[in-house]
């Protein structure tokens, strides 16, 4: 039985050409391999003001829990201020991400994710499901970042490791706080949430870079996806690009606000809540003027945890069949967009 995310992904190898990113520093025109077909919904101006934006919630607000519940039901996402993570911790991680992605391609490729690996430098794991390549490079951390960082900076990796490990520690605390609130909203019993706050959870950090693009309207930063996690906490640099699909409203931008983190619910919370909470389909658009960065922290139950909708009363009808986190990762590795339907009972 796999006990770590790395082991879970080992069973689902990718081909190396699905992992190696383009050397964006040398490209002046958009290659056909990176030109995405244009859709009509891309033309819509979905920036209609506050009413169509994901809510900004103050964690110190006495009504924060209720507001989080409403946001998860309506959007599957919200922006969080007064989250308790020191600004310096976030700034330092952004500096390290910029330092990493600014390196020449041959240095970054020293830490290329292997075909059976979960960690390291490379294209997004979802890449094989799309006919075109994304204008994106990523660095995935599962467990300690040091082995991969050492390959890139043989003598100068401790700074990167320290900043990432500190970020991971702080994010875990925030994720636990949010999970407790969310489980309270869902009326979840004590024995079902014992893993929260223990060391048994699964977690990963994804550093994302979206280089300036010569033809941003024909490119895609990160293709539409939902996160597999229970919840994801995202720091985005002060450059727009993230969009969330909202029924009836199309792709809605999530503009960055200073000192604010984006929180989105993932597939696992969607299942546990029996579809009460949305899992937001999201994507990232690129631009020609500014390189964009983001840092995503994914928080999930342990890999052997059986994910099944929380039973609330005798008349409760579960919409999903129970399966372990590891098995759900397996289902999604084979069928990205259809995974939730494949485990649906209705
Ligand atoms: C824990 C994880 C979620 C993730 C797969 C991973 O092991 C680490 C990378 C994560 C990421 C980041 C970019 C988008 C995404 C869909 C992908 O391709 O890799 C997510 C994965 C996910 O949520 O399934
Ligand atoms: O870059 C972003 O804003 C989003 C990144 C993302 O969706 C992810 O890492 O899963
Ligand atoms: Fe995501």
């Amino acid at each position: 039985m796999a006990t770590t995310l790395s082991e879970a992904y080992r069973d689902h190898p990718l081909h190396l050409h699905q992992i190696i990113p383009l050397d964006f520093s040398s490209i002046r025109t958009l290659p056909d391999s990176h030109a995405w077909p244009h859709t009509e919904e891309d033309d819509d101006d979905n920036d209609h003001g506050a009413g169509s934006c994901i809510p900004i919630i103050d964690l110190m607000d006495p009504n924060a829990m209720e507001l989080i519940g409403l946001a998860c039901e309506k959007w599957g996402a919200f922006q969080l201020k007064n989250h308790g993570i020191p600004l310096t911790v976030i700034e330092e991680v952004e500096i390290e991400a910029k330092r990493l992605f600014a390196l020449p391609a041959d240095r970054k490729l020293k830490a290329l994710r292997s075909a059976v690996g979960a960690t390291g430098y490379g294209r997004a794991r979802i890449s094989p499901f799309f006919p075109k390549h994304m204008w994106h490079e990523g660095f995935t951390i599962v467990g300690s970042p040091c082995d991969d960082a050492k390959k890139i900076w043989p003598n100068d990796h401790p700074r990167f490791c320290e900043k990432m490990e500190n970020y991971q520690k702080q994010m875990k605390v925030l994720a636990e706080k949010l999970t407790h609130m969310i489980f309270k909203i869902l009326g979840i019993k004590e024995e079902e949430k014992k893993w929260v706050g223990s060391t048994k959870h699964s977690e990963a950090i994804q550093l994302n870079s979206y280089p300036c693009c010569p033809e941003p309207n024909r490119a895609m930063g990160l293709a539409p996806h939902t996160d597999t996690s229970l919840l994801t906490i995202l720091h985005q640099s002060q450059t727009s690009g993230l969009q969330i699909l909202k029924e009836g409203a199309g792709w809605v931008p999530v503009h960055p606000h200073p000192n604010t983190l984006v929180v989105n619910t993932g597939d696992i919370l969607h299942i546990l809540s029996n579809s009460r909470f949305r899992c937001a389909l999201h994507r990232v658009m690129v631009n020609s003027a500014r390189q964009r960065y983001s840092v995503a922290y994914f928080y999930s139950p342990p890999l052997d945890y059986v994910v099944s909708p929380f039973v609330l009363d005798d008349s409760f009808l579960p919409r999903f069949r129970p399966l372990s986190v590891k098995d759900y990762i397996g289902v999604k590795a084979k069928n990205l967009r259809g995974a939730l339907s494949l485990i649906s009972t209705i």
Side-chain angles (χ1 to χ4, degrees):
M1 164 63 80
T3 52
T4 66
L5 273 172
S6 302
E7 286 164 20
Y9 284 111
R10 203 170 295 161
D11 301 341
H12 307 283
L14 299 177
H15 298 287
L16 273 185
H17 72 268
Q18 296 169 326
I19 304 174
I20 302 174
L22 192 67
D23 180 1
F24 294 99
S25 65
S26 62
I27 305 288
R28 299 287 167 265
T29 52
L30 190 78
D32 184 55
S33 54
H34 287 68
W36 288 60
H38 198 76
T39 64
E40 272 174 31
E41 66 188 5
D42 293 333
D43 290 331
D44 294 347
D45 173 13
N46 293 319
D47 217 343
H48 304 303
S52 68
C53 292
I54 67 165
I56 300 183
I57 299 175
D58 183 340
L59 193 55
M60 306 295 272
D61 185 327
N63 297 320
M65 196 163 91
E66 193 191 335
L67 295 170
I68 287 173
L70 291 172
C72 291
E73 284 174 356
K74 188 172 172 198
W75 291 90
F78 54 92
Q79 303 222 49
L80 190 67
K81 61 179 191 184
N82 283 323
H83 41 66
I85 310 288
L87 183 59
T88 49
V89 172
I90 298 173
E91 281 171 349
E92 284 169 354
V93 155
E94 189 176 314
I95 290 169
E96 290 306 304
K98 287 179 176 164
R99 188 161 79 95
L100 169 78
F101 290 119
L103 291 170
D106 60 342
R107 284 282 291 283
K108 293 182 277 194
L109 288 173
K110 290 198 183 307
L112 185 70
R113 215 169 64 229
S114 81
V116 290
T119 73
Y121 174 72
R123 293 170 57 191
R125 180 164 284 280
I126 52 174
S127 300
F129 292 97
F130 297 91
K132 295 289 181 170
H133 296 327
M134 300 170 212
W135 203 258
H136 166 269
E137 52 183 336
F139 186 87
T140 310
I141 299 170
V142 178
S144 169
C146 296
D147 288 347
D148 288 314
K150 235 182 245 172
K151 294 178 196 159
I152 296 178
W153 295 288
N155 305 314
D156 188 21
H157 58 278
R159 186 166 97 204
F160 180 87
C161 297
E162 185 208 315
K163 305 299 179 203
M164 295 302 148
E165 279 166 355
N166 189 23
Y167 190 78
Q168 188 151 316
K169 243 185 245 158
Q170 304 259 354
M171 283 290 147
K172 175 178 179 272
V173 173
L174 177 59
E176 285 168 0
K177 199 180 280 179
L178 293 170
T179 303
H180 278 300
M181 291 171 101
I182 287 169
F183 281 6
K184 208 164 181 184
I185 301 165
L186 292 174
I188 288 165
K189 297 185 211 95
E190 282 305 317
E191 64 264 27
E192 304 203 64
K193 52 184 180 191
K194 276 197 187 129
W195 63 269
V196 186
S198 72
T199 50
K200 289 186 180 151
H201 67 290
S202 352
E203 63 186 349
I205 290 181
Q206 171 82 10
L207 308 179
N208 295 304
S209 153
Y210 308 91
C212 296
C213 179
E215 284 184 77
N217 296 336
R218 296 175 64 219
M220 176 67 71
L222 196 54
H225 67 278
T226 59
D227 295 341
T228 307
S229 59
L230 179 89
L231 55 87
T232 302
I233 305 174
L234 181 93
H235 161 67
Q236 43 176 343
S237 63
Q238 290 301 308
T239 304
S240 294
L242 175 63
Q243 299 179 334
I244 284 188
L245 189 65
K246 175 83 167 68
E247 242 170 39
W251 288 105
V252 176
V254 182
H255 295 303
H257 287 267
N259 302 336
T260 307
L261 295 163
V262 181
V263 180
N264 68 267
T265 60
D267 297 348
I268 292 174
L269 187 52
H270 180 72
I271 301 168
L272 292 178
S273 72
N274 211 28
S275 304
R276 175 172 160 194
F277 292 166
R278 284 170 191 276
C279 50
L281 191 69
H282 52 286
R283 69 179 187 182
V284 178
M285 305 311 282
V286 290
N287 74 84
S288 57
R290 291 178 63 163
Q291 182 159 7
R292 179 175 185 278
Y293 303 89
S294 72
V295 183
Y297 173 82
F298 303 94
Y299 183 74
S300 303
L303 280 201
D304 58 358
Y305 179 90
V306 177
V307 185
S308 168
F310 290 120
V311 177
L312 299 175
D313 53 47
D314 293 343
S315 62
F316 184 81
L317 288 176
R319 290 169 173 239
F320 301 97
R321 68 172 167 86
L323 83 173
S324 68
V325 173
K326 191 224 168 186
D327 287 345
Y328 182 68
I329 288 174
V331 172
K332 202 169 171 184
K334 292 200 189 84
N335 194 327
L336 182 73
R337 290 293 278 273
L340 288 170
S341 309
L342 282 172
I343 62 159
S344 166
T345 56
I346 49 174

